[in-house]
Amino acid sequence: MPVGINQPSNQIRLTNVSLVRIKRGKKRYEIACYKNKVLEYRSGIETDLDNVLQIHNVFLNVSKGAVAPHADLQKSFPKMSLDEIILEILQKGELQVGEKERNAQLDRVHNEVVGIVSGKLVDPKTKRVYTTGMIEKALDQLSSQGAQAAQHEKAHPSNASGTSTPTSGEERGKPTWTGVVTTRSAKSQALDAMKALIAHQPIPVARARMRLRITCPTSIAKQAVKVAPKSGDESADGDEKAKGTVKDRILSYVEQTESQEASGDEWEVIGFVEPGDFKLLSDFVGTQTKGRARIEVLNTAVIYEGD
Amino acid sequence: MPVVPPEKLVKLQQQGEGIRNICILAHVDHGKTSLTDALIATNGIISPKLAGKIRYLDSRPDEQLRGITMESSAISLYFSLLRRNAPEAKPEQKEYLINLIDSPGHIDFSSEVSTASRLCDGAVVLVDAVEGVCSQTVTVLRQTWVEKLRPLLVINKMDRLITELKLSPSEAYTHLSKLLEQVNAVMGSFALGERMEDDLRWRERIDEKVTAAAAAKDQDAGDDAKAASKGRKTSIAEDEEGLDTTSTPADYEEKEDEDIYFEPERNNVIFSSAIDGWAFTPRQFAGLYEKKLGIKRHVLEKVLWGDFYLDPKTKRILGPKHLKGRHLKPMFVQLVLEQIWAVYEATLGGPNQKGDRVLLEKITKGLNLSIPAHIMRSKDPKALLSAVFSAWLPLSTALLVSVVEQLPNPPSAQEARIPALLEASPGAEHIDSKIKDAMTHSNASISEPVVAYVSKMVSIPESELPINKRRGGMLSADEARELGRKKRAEIAKAQALANGDADVASVTDALSSAAIGDEEEIPGGKIEEEPEQDDDPEHLIGFARLFSGTLTVGDEVYVLPPKYTPARPHALPQPRKVTITALYLLMGRSLESLNTVPAGNIVGIAGLEGAILKNGTICSQLEGAPNLSSTTAISTNVPIVRVALEPAFPGDLDKMIRGLRLLVQADPAVLYEQLESGEHVICTAGELHLERCLKDLRERFAKCDIQAGEAIVPYREGIVRTEEMNAPRDPALGRGRVEGVTTSKQVTIKLRVIPLPAPVTEFLVKHTGAVKRLYSERKAQDEERVTPSGGNGTADDGLEDIIEQDIEADDATGEGGHNLTMAEFKHRLSEAFAEDKADKDVWNGVVEKIAAFGPRRVGPNVLIDLTEDQLCGKFLREEHEATADQAEPTDKHTSTFADKVAYAFQLGTYQGPLCGEPVQGVAVFLEDICINVPEDEAAQNVGRLTGEIIRTTRDSIRQGFLDWSPRILLAMYSCEIQASAEVLGRVYGVISRRGGRIVSESLLEPSTNFTILALLPVAESFGFSDEIRQRTSGFAAPQLVFEGFEMLDEDPYWVPTTEEELEDLGEKADRENVAKRYVDKVRLRKGLMIDRKVVESAEKQKTLKR
């Protein structure tokens, strides 16, 4: 068969290939890698380059077999050898994530999210945590519910726009859960999941409370709340708040007080605080008392500890 | 057989001598339930034709399906016996009530056996004629021995010798005598064990006495040795009667051990075939041959079994000595077995397996049996066989006669058993003598105190209770008339409703509803029936044996929990007083209501729900009541199969928990606990038992789908100092020292992580309770300081009291861990530190500087404060110091941050760097906190800095941790296995394959069994018991108890680095890193990063599109 004639029989097709591309100086360069390997290489698990690269060369177009001309490469990657260019592309280029890698990543994020959630949610009655399995099932239930609701809306678009709009609006107001994604951090997804679980209550759950000890000099505790110096533009709002004393404000954050006592010039309260309020509380204490009051975290998540 | 009305049984309950409480025990599949069937058939409850096949007492559907018994169940039977007191006297009819308990044979349900045997006075032990003594046979024999039940041996499945093994009668005889020897050897070993114990005790006593007179000692020792050797000889030669053990010269008194053995001549051995419905004792045959041979019956009884021969000419009985070389068959073969073989030959044998008519005619004639003509004509040889046998040697007669004759009635049995039972119960000396007396004599009069032992709670669906159902056959005439009237009214109503055109269906409907409904007016019986089916609430009924007094419905009795002791009757928890709401006669799957029950009976008691958890004692008075339930040996096997349960739908969680609570009450062998991790874990005795529990949960108790899975296994993380570690991260600082700077660069934290010396860690792990108490004490002190009161002592006392109660409450951890005072604790802790010789200077005076323990303030890690002005405050300070260090308003901000550091220390030790499991054995030295910015700026940023400091400190601790050689600690079970010598090797195999380690092995003295003590990782224990039972065919019984954490001495991050290692192991380290496998498993579960390749070899991936 004459060489050079492009016929189906003498084409060499690359299989099992995953491309990593980079754009440099208006040119697009590609390298041919194995599937499911590039991310591993980037995270440093795979160290053997031969296990990542299919062909030790840089292409303009892998599927057509167009190797990048040396001149172009020199222009785009000045003073770099071919090996260095390949490494550069491997590290910085955009890539297709392989199916298995994606699945592994998703699994990992999912497990992490479930782990975080199960550590922070408790049964409000017994203050016991749920197992990861239970949380997983509850989240599954939520996501399938969400999918159903979406389908329902699609099926009856007219209905949704019609009389039932307010109810569906309410529904939409509730945070929903549709499963994990790999693009966001596990922690923020876990927060979403928690919100969704608390809103829908497929199982009775509540955030585990933080247990804090707040100590404050009595003199300050009795003071009226000062308007925050910075928030001059919010003065109207500030004035309203200024009616209570510092003590009252602190107590308003505390959901349930365990003990509260004033001895000498120190006022102390131990109580449970919803974790979402903690930041507000500590900001408030920090600004109002100029650091003379202290918040001590006794426990970040109060859960039942059997012994 | 006519149906025996329950009234008759109730009447019989009043006569103590006519009662026999027996249980049927055997290895699995040796025919307990079939045998029971034959007995039930005599009372007309089931047809005799079906006996042996229907398995009446296996009332659960899965029992029927699998063909094994899972729950013990009781039935009361009536038996009447014609007895002649003198040979020529008129036969006198005596009536007996037999309370029979059928028990399961599978090892998973052996707790049922122990509960059943406690209720009974006698036991019928079955042995398969072919299989002989099996593992459970030994167990049940031991049970009867321990419970002092009088046993009766039944050699069952004799037909298999004929039809399966095709033995000749003489071969069968040798086989049977060997089997009997085996059983007796087992009994002998128990007797020997006890004897040796007695001997030892006696010797100790003697030793005490003789310490003064040393000269006499030698003499005694010699005697003892002689006694012991004599004793052994007796047990070996158990079948020979010649040896007289009582004549030993020693002072030690030998116990009579003849009556423990099974000997056919003593009529405690029965030969039977439950499936074919026959059984006999030698005595029966003696009666048959009495006239024929002209030999006295009692003589025949003695010689029918054993090496005795019948001289064919002189018709005289010869011993083996007088045989003179003649070839004679033993009498048992000639007179007994050959006859039975002949019947089998006549019915099942013959040329074409259809039997031999002529021979059969001859036999029936010879035995003077009349077989109904239609059976004689029948084509089914089996039917013929059972017809012949039921006419000739009916099973029930042989068995029940022996039961009645051989086994004791409640009064006499209690007389024998109760004193020992009471002696063994806690606080025996405080038991009221009146109760003691009443129990020993089984006094049934109403004035006597009531004592009953509830062995287990049985869960019965409401529809099964007799209030809700009534059988037609059991109605009295009045009730029948009443019912008839109602029925007519019902029909009339139905007709009226249907306007006269009532079809047949509605009439039958009305009939059935009237039949089911009780005396109360039920206008819509049918309507009520339906919802009842839907949700049938379960009722718990106590399965009890009444030892004294008479129990009547409406009586108020005290329920004594298992921890009760008569020494302190009012101790917490206070025994509850309950009212008996109903009493039931247990008739297998059905119950009959009773009004009163006298002593000596087995009875179902309602109204104990909630008062008794699993077992307990019922007594009519509180002071001086005995506690029968705490006596040991009740639960012979600790549950060992642990699984975590989860409802399939998360919303069903409550249902499941409720179901689990019910299950725990209904099944004594189940343990249920809710773990810290939120898991619901149940422990069951075996895989089969687990399956039954799950089925029960799904269908009866919880009524929701439940999934079982492996429970989460806890790990610990630790560090060690080893020879070859990677170079420290920062050589300038030294190993384990980290300088953490917060992201805003405002605060720098210097700390150092060092592994704690092993004795210190051990000490801390052991005394977690003490640390906890010190912590709470300190908190109390702090509070006291705040409240201006001087009364230190009172509060402390109160605390002390609480702790004391704690100790009483959980004696599991109560090994002195709680009651250490502060000074003592400090002293011992510093001693533990002093044991470490290597770096004395590091640990010098460290105890004084301990700021906190962690994680959770009680764990085995310490935070040591080395900062100049002791920022964190001392944890182990004395009271007088406390006042001193109160005044420290010095550097408010740094001390604020010190709090955060302490908190970060708790966090860091709670989730280690390896796989987020708690850390153990680590000391963190806080060396310095410096603030790099002006004071007031820092003060403004407190809010933001808090988070930063916590994060930085935590990360620094982790970093320092990884600077050492990290280790993972595995949770371990200590595993005690009793195994016979043959299966020892297999046991070892299973343990080593699962990464276990043998700690010790010892021979269990009198028996040939070994006790193996091993440590097994919890992570590998899933399915362990099942595997070990399978591999050893049930001859090894493991018991698992949580032991603690043990370090796996392998760095999970180790990879071959040196040339030698690379050469040996290759780049990938061919050998699997076990520690890494565990770590990765946990990390995978928690969703942490794992450096595992998704695809191992890139070029070998599948390239085709799916």
Side-chain angles (χ1 to χ4, degrees):
Chain A
M1 210 181 284
V3 187
I5 297 174
N6 199 8
Q7 281 188 328
S9 62
N10 61 4
Q11 282 177 359
I12 303 166
R13 286 208 180 274
L14 278 174
T15 53
N16 186 19
V17 72
S18 150
L19 302 180
V20 183
R21 302 194 179 92
I22 200 167
K23 244 183 162 177
R24 275 288 161 89
K26 293 182 184 166
K27 281 260 164 38
R28 204 176 60 171
Y29 299 99
E30 296 182 346
I31 50 173
C33 301
Y34 290 109
K35 275 186 174 154
N36 300 320
K37 274 301 192 187
V38 184
L39 278 187
E40 270 176 20
Y41 181 80
R42 283 195 182 169
S43 59
I45 298 165
E46 180 63 68
T47 46
D48 187 1
L49 200 60
D50 288 345
N51 243 341
V52 181
L53 275 188
Q54 284 218 347
I55 298 165
H56 199 83
N57 211 340
V58 181
F59 294 84
L60 286 178
N61 188 335
V62 170
S63 56
K64 285 182 180 156
V67 178
H70 190 64
D72 283 1
L73 281 178
Q74 279 307 317
K75 210 189 268 172
S76 309
F77 303 95
K79 287 178 192 164
M80 279 168 95
S81 69
L82 185 65
D83 288 351
E84 282 167 345
I85 296 169
I86 288 173
L87 287 184
E88 171 90 0
I89 298 175
L90 256 186
Q91 290 297 353
K92 294 184 180 158
E94 53 189 77
L95 67 132
Q96 303 164 288
V97 181
E99 191 189 0
K100 282 180 189 159
E101 273 181 326
R102 192 187 304 279
N103 282 343
Q105 229 174 0
L106 266 178
D107 272 358
R108 197 181 61 74
V109 177
H110 181 253
N111 280 348
E112 201 177 346
V113 168
V114 170
I116 296 172
V117 172
S118 63
K120 297 208 162 133
L121 290 184
V122 294
D123 183 350
K125 269 179 291 178
T126 56
K127 297 275 183 287
R128 278 175 186 275
V129 290
Y130 285 104
T131 53
T132 47
M134 288 292 289
I135 297 285
E136 217 171 326
K137 277 175 190 158
L139 284 176
D140 276 356
Q141 206 176 322
L142 280 194
S143 53
S144 65
Q145 260 176 18
Q148 270 171 10
Q151 273 178 4
H152 189 75
E153 244 167 71
K154 258 183 216 163
H156 310 279
S158 59
N159 201 5
S161 62
T163 49
S164 66
T165 316
T167 52
S168 72
E170 251 178 39
E171 281 295 311
R172 210 168 289 150
K174 272 188 179 179
T176 53
W177 174 250
T178 49
V180 290
V181 289
T182 50
T183 46
R184 287 168 56 213
S185 81
K187 198 165 180 188
S188 75
Q189 292 188 60
L191 284 173
D192 286 351
M194 274 186 259
K195 275 181 200 139
L197 279 178
I198 289 168
H200 290 278
Q201 298 280 329
I203 43 176
V205 287
R207 279 292 292 267
R209 302 287 185 256
M210 290 177 99
R211 192 153 157 267
L212 301 178
R213 175 195 287 155
I214 306 155
T215 47
C216 181
T218 336
S219 53
I220 293 179
K222 279 180 186 155
Q223 278 172 7
V225 174
K226 279 177 284 187
V227 180
K230 273 194 280 181
S231 58
D233 47 347
E234 294 169 29
S235 59
D237 198 26
D239 277 337
E240 258 177 74
K241 279 181 188 166
K243 280 168 191 163
T245 60
V246 172
K247 181 177 165 185
D248 291 342
R249 281 291 297 279
I250 288 175
L251 284 180
S252 74
Y253 286 116
V254 180
E255 204 162 75
Q256 186 192 343
T257 45
E258 198 176 78
S259 70
Q260 189 189 154
E261 54 201 22
S263 64
D265 55 350
E266 282 274 295
W267 173 72
E268 184 187 83
V269 61
I270 296 174
F272 300 97
V273 174
E274 162 94 356
D277 290 341
F278 175 67
K279 191 138 180 40
L280 299 175
L281 176 64
S282 69
D283 279 350
F284 171 79
V285 170
T287 50
Q288 292 294 329
T289 64
K290 293 218 173 79
R292 290 189 62 195
R294 282 164 58 184
I295 300 180
E296 191 184 343
V297 181
L298 298 175
N299 204 341
T300 40
V302 180
I303 54 173
Y304 178 88
E305 290 170 7
D307 242 335
Chain B
M1 280 276 179
V3 173
V4 180
E7 289 76 35
K8 197 159 193 176
L9 298 178
V10 173
K11 207 177 77 210
L12 278 173
Q13 283 192 337
Q14 310 296 329
Q15 307 162 355
E17 299 82 49
I19 301 174
R20 297 289 183 276
N21 296 316
I22 59 167
C23 52
I24 300 195
L25 310 170
H27 187 74
V28 64
D29 263 355
H30 280 193
K32 294 171 293 295
T33 312
S34 306
L35 188 80
T36 323
D37 262 5
L39 302 183
I40 295 170
T42 63
N43 272 28
I45 295 168
I46 58 172
S47 148
K49 274 193 203 118
L50 289 174
K53 299 166 193 82
I54 197 168
R55 301 201 309 279
Y56 181 77
L57 288 184
D58 283 354
S59 49
R60 295 166 54 96
D62 47 345
E63 285 180 328
Q64 285 286 348
L65 205 67
R66 285 170 176 272
I68 59 167
T69 311
M70 294 185 181
E71 271 176 349
S72 54
S73 44
I75 191 160
S76 299
L77 297 175
Y78 163 83
F79 181 63
S80 71
L81 186 65
L82 290 171
R83 173 183 285 185
R84 260 173 272 210
N85 285 336
E88 297 310 312
K90 206 176 153 240
E92 180 187 346
Q93 191 181 14
K94 286 207 80 176
E95 291 180 318
Y96 293 96
L97 175 75
I98 294 172
N99 292 322
L100 185 113
I101 301 181
D102 182 25
S103 70
H106 195 278
I107 185 167
D108 280 10
F109 307 112
S110 47
S111 67
E112 298 265 339
V113 176
S114 47
T115 52
S117 54
R118 175 58 61 97
L119 300 179
C120 295
D121 304 318
V124 176
V125 179
L126 268 74
V127 178
D128 189 318
V130 176
E131 288 174 20
V133 175
C134 293
S135 57
Q136 281 301 294
T137 314
V138 180
T139 317
V140 296
L141 283 174
R142 183 177 300 126
Q143 193 71 40
T144 58
W145 178 259
V146 169
E147 289 285 337
K148 295 193 172 42
L149 302 181
R150 186 85 65 77
L152 202 61
L153 184 72
V154 176
I155 298 179
N156 197 16
K157 303 202 181 179
M158 289 278 286
D159 56 311
R160 289 182 70 190
L161 295 179
I162 307 168
T163 54
E164 264 180 44
L165 300 188
K166 306 227 186 302
L167 297 181
S168 73
S170 8
E171 283 166 341
Y173 174 70
T174 12
H175 183 87
L176 289 175
S177 45
K178 269 186 200 153
L179 194 149
L180 207 58
E181 250 168 63
Q182 277 177 14
V183 177
N184 281 336
V186 173
M187 291 306 278
S189 72
F190 299 148
L192 185 64
E194 188 167 273
R195 216 202 64 87
M196 280 170 72
E197 240 170 67
D198 272 359
D199 187 43
L200 191 72
R201 231 175 286 142
W202 172 80
R203 216 183 299 186
E204 273 168 7
R205 223 170 31 236
I206 289 292
D207 275 356
E208 273 167 32
K209 269 188 213 164
V210 194
T211 34
K217 214 174 179 181
D218 291 358
Q219 178 70 32
D220 264 332
D223 285 355
D224 289 344
K226 228 180 276 172
S229 68
K230 263 273 163 56
R232 189 162 293 136
K233 224 181 275 167
T234 10
S235 79
I236 291 163
E238 61 267 322
D239 275 311
E240 293 168 33
E241 283 173 69
L243 264 173
D244 191 5
T245 51
T246 47
S247 64
T248 40
D251 296 332
Y252 175 67
E253 233 176 276
E254 288 280 348
K255 265 190 216 146
E256 191 70 40
D257 65 347
E258 267 169 33
D259 58 339
I260 63 163
Y261 296 118
F262 295 108
E263 288 157 14
E265 54 266 36
R266 291 184 39 243
N267 281 310
N268 56 10
V269 179
I270 303 170
F271 302 90
S272 85
S273 164
I275 196 94
D276 291 335
W278 58 266
F280 65 88
T281 55
R283 176 178 288 185
Q284 265 176 301
F285 272 93
L288 285 176
Y289 285 110
E290 188 180 14
K291 292 236 175 69
K292 228 177 182 176
L293 297 175
I295 301 171
K296 285 262 166 56
R297 184 174 177 157
H298 62 269
V299 180
L300 257 181
E301 273 176 31
K302 288 272 175 298
V303 296
L304 209 43
W305 175 268
D307 285 340
F308 297 101
Y309 305 86
L310 189 68
D311 192 325
K313 285 178 198 135
T314 56
K315 295 280 182 209
R316 287 186 56 188
I317 298 160
L318 306 174
K321 264 182 263 169
H322 307 289
L323 217 50
K324 293 184 193 120
R326 273 183 297 174
H327 207 74
L328 287 178
K329 289 172 185 164
M331 277 178 79
F332 192 72
V333 176
Q334 196 185 0
L335 298 182
V336 181
L337 292 180
E338 280 187 350
Q339 315 304 317
I340 290 167
W341 258 247
V343 174
Y344 270 88
E345 176 66 24
T347 51
L348 299 178
N352 49 358
Q353 310 286 311
K354 286 281 192 232
D356 189 339
R357 282 298 137 99
V358 187
L359 185 60
L360 185 63
E361 299 258 320
K362 220 169 106 194
I363 290 170
T364 44
K365 221 177 202 171
L367 293 172
N368 204 11
L369 304 174
S370 60
I371 308 287
H374 69 276
I375 293 178
M376 283 299 272
R377 278 199 307 272
S378 87
K379 288 268 187 284
D380 182 14
K382 271 276 181 193
L384 202 55
L385 177 75
S386 42
V388 172
F389 274 124
S390 63
W392 181 30
L393 297 170
L395 186 147
S396 50
T397 325
L399 193 61
L400 291 180
V401 168
S402 306
V403 164
V404 166
E405 300 276 318
Q406 295 291 323
L407 300 183
N409 54 25
S412 58
Q414 272 173 237
E415 211 160 317
R417 279 175 72 202
I418 291 296
L421 198 67
L422 291 183
E423 206 55 50
S425 72
E429 61 275 16
H430 295 278
I431 295 170
D432 197 338
S433 62
K434 196 173 143 205
I435 291 185
K436 222 183 249 179
D437 207 45
M439 280 177 74
T440 341
H441 299 299
S442 179
N443 217 327
S445 62
I446 296 178
S447 56
E448 292 295 333
V450 174
V451 178
Y453 169 64
V454 181
S455 77
K456 66 169 188 172
M457 301 297 282
V458 192
S459 169
I460 309 260
E462 189 166 276
S463 58
E464 295 272 314
L465 292 183
I467 327 160
N468 299 340
K469 83 174 179 192
R470 210 160 250 288
R471 293 235 181 77
M474 292 160 198
L475 294 178
S476 67
D478 278 350
E479 282 171 327
R481 263 197 294 281
E482 170 82 357
L483 200 69
R485 191 185 57 75
K486 224 194 282 179
K487 217 185 293 175
R488 276 194 295 280
E490 200 95 12
I491 294 168
K493 209 194 270 171
Q495 274 171 342
L497 275 174
N499 276 337
D501 54 26
D503 55 359
V504 186
S506 75
V507 175
T508 45
D509 263 357
L511 279 174
S512 64
S513 66
I516 290 160
D518 58 7
E519 291 94 325
E520 291 166 42
E521 288 292 326
I522 302 176
K526 197 179 155 223
I527 303 157
E528 238 189 36
E529 187 70 7
E530 283 309 315
E532 208 172 71
Q533 284 302 328
D534 276 348
D535 68 349
D536 219 359
E538 298 280 334
H539 286 262
L540 288 169
I541 286 174
F543 202 62
R545 157 82 184 258
L546 204 57
F547 282 104
S548 75
T550 297
L551 200 59
T552 313
V553 175
D555 277 359
E556 286 206 333
V557 289
Y558 287 99
V559 173
L560 314 178
K563 278 191 179 164
Y564 168 88
T565 159
R568 280 185 300 167
H570 295 286
L572 288 172
Q574 186 92 0
R576 275 174 59 181
K577 196 166 191 174
V578 296
T579 312
I580 305 291
T581 54
L583 292 168
Y584 300 108
L585 181 66
L586 301 160
M587 292 295 285
R589 65 188 91 175
S590 59
L591 302 170
E592 299 296 337
S593 284
L594 293 176
N595 255 334
T596 60
V597 179
N601 278 297
I602 291 171
V603 68
I605 302 177
L608 304 175
E609 221 156 311
I612 288 187
L613 188 59
K614 281 174 177 167
N615 53 21
T617 315
I618 291 179
C619 193
S620 55
Q621 67 184 69
L622 191 52
E623 274 85 12
N627 179 8
L628 303 173
S629 49
S630 96
T631 327
T632 49
I634 271 295
S635 69
T636 46
N637 57 343
V638 184
I640 44 171
V641 173
R642 268 169 65 97
V643 288
L645 297 186
E646 216 164 70
F649 303 104
D652 288 342
L653 187 66
D654 279 346
K655 265 193 203 166
M656 189 185 84
I657 294 173
R658 217 175 316 123
L660 278 170
R661 297 231 167 89
L662 271 174
L663 175 74
V664 169
Q665 283 203 8
D667 193 332
V670 175
L671 278 184
Y672 159 59
E673 52 184 331
Q674 193 170 7
L675 298 187
E676 227 172 278
S677 59
E679 283 175 303
H680 300 268
V681 167
I682 62 168
C683 306
T684 59
E687 309 282 327
L688 189 65
H689 185 209
L690 171 70
E691 226 167 278
R692 196 199 82 196
C693 291
L694 286 181
K695 195 174 160 64
D696 270 356
L697 269 180
R698 285 192 194 120
E699 287 166 14
R700 291 171 66 193
F701 300 128
K703 292 199 177 72
C704 64
D705 200 7
I706 286 168
Q707 294 165 346
E710 219 168 314
I712 292 175
V713 181
Y715 291 91
R716 293 282 182 274
E717 298 176 12
I719 47 178
V720 287
R721 186 192 300 269
T722 54
E723 292 300 314
E724 32 188 85
M725 278 188 285
N726 301 332
R729 197 172 313 237
D730 193 344
L733 292 173
R735 193 177 289 282
R737 187 167 286 148
V738 181
E739 250 187 53
V741 183
T742 57
T743 39
S744 62
K745 307 257 188 305
Q746 288 179 340
V747 180
T748 311
I749 294 154
K750 280 186 199 157
L751 50 80
R752 188 165 182 219
V753 178
I754 291 178
L756 274 176
V760 178
T761 317
E762 205 175 294
F763 175 81
L764 289 176
V765 169
K766 218 185 255 171
H767 294 92
T768 312
V771 179
K772 196 170 189 176
R773 189 177 63 111
L774 292 179
Y775 182 75
S776 58
E777 242 171 38
R778 185 183 144 196
K779 216 164 82 180
Q781 265 177 30
D782 280 355
E783 263 155 37
E784 254 167 55
R785 258 191 306 120
V786 175
T787 49
S789 75
N792 259 5
T794 51
D796 266 3
D797 284 354
L799 203 67
E800 213 71 40
D801 281 351
I802 294 163
I803 288 151
E804 216 129 66
Q805 278 173 2
D806 268 355
I807 295 166
E808 277 174 7
D810 55 338
D811 26 9
T813 51
E815 39 144 319
H818 285 275
N819 39 18
L820 278 180
T821 62
M822 171 73 79
E824 210 178 325
F825 180 79
K826 263 171 86 169
H827 178 67
R828 287 180 55 181
L829 185 58
S830 43
E831 260 178 18
F833 271 118
E835 271 181 52
D836 188 51
K837 300 281 184 287
D839 356 46
K840 230 171 188 161
D841 47 334
V842 176
W843 305 118
N844 219 348
V846 143
V847 176
E848 290 300 324
K849 290 178 186 154
I850 289 175
F853 294 93
R856 291 193 175 150
R857 300 178 183 81
V858 293
N861 305 293
V862 288
L863 176 67
I864 293 162
D865 191 0
L866 290 186
T867 50
E868 272 165 31
D869 26 323
Q870 299 284 315
L871 295 172
C872 295
K874 278 181 269 177
F875 177 73
L876 299 170
R877 63 191 163 191
E878 301 284 350
E879 232 172 279
H880 53 87
E881 288 175 49
T883 44
D885 63 21
Q886 194 193 358
E888 42 138 349
T890 48
D891 199 354
K892 258 266 146 88
H893 300 304
T894 33
S895 72
T896 325
F897 295 142
D899 285 348
K900 308 291 182 271
V901 171
Y903 182 67
F905 164 74
Q906 305 290 353
L907 280 186
T909 48
Y910 185 57
Q911 294 198 317
L914 288 185
C915 51
E917 293 285 320
V919 172
Q920 178 169 321
V922 166
V924 177
F925 290 85
L926 179 64
E927 294 186 333
D928 198 10
I929 304 175
C930 45
I931 298 167
N932 311 333
V933 285
E935 280 283 299
D936 45 340
E937 199 182 319
Q940 280 200 340
N941 293 339
V942 168
R944 202 178 52 156
L945 276 179
T946 306
E948 278 184 14
I949 287 172
I950 289 178
R951 210 171 307 130
T952 314
T953 318
R954 196 189 57 195
D955 292 348
S956 311
I957 290 175
R958 287 189 183 175
Q959 219 177 352
F961 183 95
L962 288 180
D963 224 6
W964 301 87
S965 186
R967 291 285 184 273
I968 186 139
L969 282 79
L970 306 180
M972 293 301 239
Y973 277 134
S974 88
C975 170
E976 200 184 302
I977 306 172
Q978 293 198 356
S980 53
E982 305 89 85
V983 298
L984 211 57
R986 301 223 187 96
V987 171
Y988 276 35
V990 173
I991 291 175
S992 60
R993 187 142 36 83
R994 288 177 174 262
R997 181 162 59 82
I998 309 286
V999 178
S1000 72
E1001 172 200 298
S1002 56
L1003 189 63
L1004 214 61
E1005 227 355 298
S1007 66
T1008 56
N1009 281 356
F1010 283 88
T1011 305
I1012 302 157
L1013 204 66
L1015 284 177
L1016 185 78
V1018 175
E1020 305 285 344
S1021 68
F1022 199 65
F1024 170 73
S1025 61
D1026 215 28
E1027 188 184 348
I1028 208 157
R1029 275 184 200 158
Q1030 274 175 8
R1031 306 274 296 182
T1032 62
S1033 10
F1035 280 101
Q1039 294 194 354
L1040 299 175
V1041 182
F1042 181 72
E1043 168 80 13
F1045 289 93
E1046 199 189 57
M1047 189 171 283
L1048 183 68
D1049 200 19
E1050 193 171 7
D1051 186 344
Y1053 293 138
W1054 183 84
V1055 278
T1057 44
T1058 64
E1059 225 166 82
E1060 250 172 59
E1061 283 165 357
L1062 279 172
E1063 202 169 283
D1064 278 358
L1065 304 164
E1067 206 170 326
K1068 282 176 188 158
D1070 294 334
R1071 202 161 39 108
E1072 191 191 18
N1073 188 334
V1074 183
K1076 183 156 166 45
R1077 189 182 46 163
Y1078 287 128
V1079 169
D1080 278 355
K1081 222 162 94 186
V1082 181
R1083 291 189 77 105
L1084 188 69
R1085 195 187 73 215
K1086 293 190 173 169
L1088 303 170
M1089 269 298 196
I1090 307 173
D1091 53 346
R1092 189 189 290 160
K1093 293 172 189 172
V1094 179
V1095 176
E1096 193 55 48
S1097 45
E1099 66 272 30
K1100 283 180 188 158
Q1101 291 184 71
K1102 214 188 213 175
T1103 53
L1104 295 171
K1105 283 251 161 66
R1106 260 184 291 153

